[in-house]
Amino acid sequence: SRMRTARPLPTGRTHPRMPEHETLDRNPSADSALPQGKAGKAAAADPERRCILTGAHASRDALLRLALSPDGEVLPDIFAKAPGRGAWVVPDRAVIDDAIARGRLHKALARAFKTGAVRFPDDLTARIEAGLGRASLDRLGLEARAGNLILGFDRIGDAIAAGRVSLLLHASDAGADGIGKLDNRLRAAARGSAFVLPAGRAEISVALGRENVVHAALGDPGAARRVAVLVQRWRDFLGLNERTVDRDETRTGVGTV
């Protein structure tokens, strides 16, 4: 299906990461490490979920799961692996904040969990944002350790020219000139997607264990998809992607700039 072009994030914005215990985060499932073909088959067999706030249907990659913690508090389940009953919402901070303010989230959760005794933290959306960011950067770190990451402006440029870039990423504080040059090369190559991450070079560098990471790229299509799925959901939550009625179309693979 048709891919949407990601719109760049204004430079200079970073997002702090929260302690691990403040969400129900777990490591990605084994499916997330599958080659693209196998992961695609697993996704195709996975039924769609329904957002309890908007009624929209989409795959689990395109939605966000909320689950009950052991002490009865509703928390983000970023990888949708927490045991027990869960509820799905669109990854859209504005929608969730509005639902909280109007009392609609509490009512929807009460229906989903079949109890009126539901509670969630006051900073729920901040925890979601931190969890999505942590998941994206941790995945990027895993791909770096697996040798799937291309770093450095010149090396990335050479890889684009050789047709070996499936996903191109920029720090939020990367210079507009550098972003433009690499994006234009990728566009000319008619291959791959490009995103500006909602994180600055300092945070990205820490996640990768490298110094001054401004641009990064992935050549392997499977690795690119694993990162792109998480990054797109993170950007969705912050309102940085184009909105689509069927959010599934941005989760079927890596498209073009």
Side-chain angles (χ1 to χ4, degrees), residues 148-174:
N148 292 327
L149 212 59
I150 305 167
L151 300 175
F153 187 94
D154 291 336
R155 290 186 62 200
I156 292 172
D158 291 342
I160 292 174
R164 293 190 291 106
V165 170
S166 296
L167 181 65
L168 174 62
L169 302 168
H170 310 289
S172 63
D173 52 0

Side-chain angles (χ1 to χ4, degrees), residues 63-67 75-78 80-89:
L63 295 176
L64 174 71
R65 187 175 188 260
L66 302 177
L75 294 173
D77 179 17
I78 300 300
K81 291 296 175 183
R85 186 181 295 274
W88 298 85
V89 295

Side-chain angles (χ1 to χ4, degrees), residues 17 25 28 78-79 129-143 169 197-199 207-208 226-235:
R17 304 164 84 186
D25 294 5
I78 300 300
F79 294 111
E129 179 179 341
L132 293 172
R134 181 167 56 247
S136 298
L137 294 178
D138 285 353
R139 180 77 254 176
L140 201 57
L142 287 173
E143 299 299 345
L169 302 168
L197 292 170
L208 299 184
R226 290 191 292 270
V227 173
V229 163
L230 294 170
V231 169
Q232 286 182 106
R233 189 169 57 160
W234 186 15
R235 286 174 53 90

Side-chain angles (χ1 to χ4, degrees), residues 8-11 153 170-184 196 201 214-215:
L9 170 69
T11 60
F153 187 94
H170 310 289
S172 63
D173 52 0
D177 182 60
I179 291 175
K181 287 180 178 178
L182 288 177
D183 282 358
N184 286 337
V196 175
R201 67 185 72 189
V214 182
H215 310 282

Side-chain angles (χ1 to χ4, degrees), residues 26-210:
R26 294 187 173 198
N27 289 331
S29 67
D31 284 348
S32 68
L34 291 174
Q36 188 177 21
K38 294 182 180 179
K41 290 179 181 179
D46 194 32
E48 288 190 337
R49 270 66 173 177
R50 179 178 180 274
C51 171
I52 62 172
L53 297 176
T54 67
H57 289 79
S59 73
R60 60 191 290 144
D61 283 344
L63 295 176
L64 174 71
R65 187 175 188 260
L66 302 177
L68 284 171
S69 68
D71 63 358
E73 189 173 37
V74 176
L75 294 173
D77 179 17
I78 300 300
F79 294 111
K81 291 296 175 183
R85 186 181 295 274
W88 298 85
V89 295
V90 292
D92 187 322
R93 183 167 194 157
V95 169
I96 298 172
D97 278 339
D98 181 70
I100 291 173
R102 296 172 181 268
R104 292 180 55 243
L105 180 61
H106 186 277
K107 293 178 182 177
L109 289 172
R111 289 193 298 269
F113 294 123
K114 303 185 186 305
T115 175
V118 294
R119 58 188 177 85
F120 50 84
D122 293 337
D123 61 345
L124 177 64
T125 51
R127 297 190 189 196
I128 293 173
E129 179 179 341
L132 293 172
R134 181 167 56 247
S136 298
L137 294 178
D138 285 353
R139 180 77 254 176
L140 201 57
L142 287 173
E143 299 299 345
R145 289 190 287 278
N148 292 327
L149 212 59
I150 305 167
L151 300 175
F153 187 94
D154 291 336
R155 290 186 62 200
I156 292 172
D158 291 342
I160 292 174
R164 293 190 291 106
V165 170
S166 296
L167 181 65
L168 174 62
L169 302 168
H170 310 289
S172 63
D173 52 0
D177 182 60
I179 291 175
K181 287 180 178 178
L182 288 177
D183 282 358
N184 286 337
R185 292 180 188 179
L186 191 64
R187 187 176 294 110
R191 170 189 169 90
S193 295
F195 294 102
V196 175
L197 292 170
R201 67 185 72 189
E203 188 175 3
I204 297 170
S205 298
V206 169
L208 299 184
R210 308 288 181 89

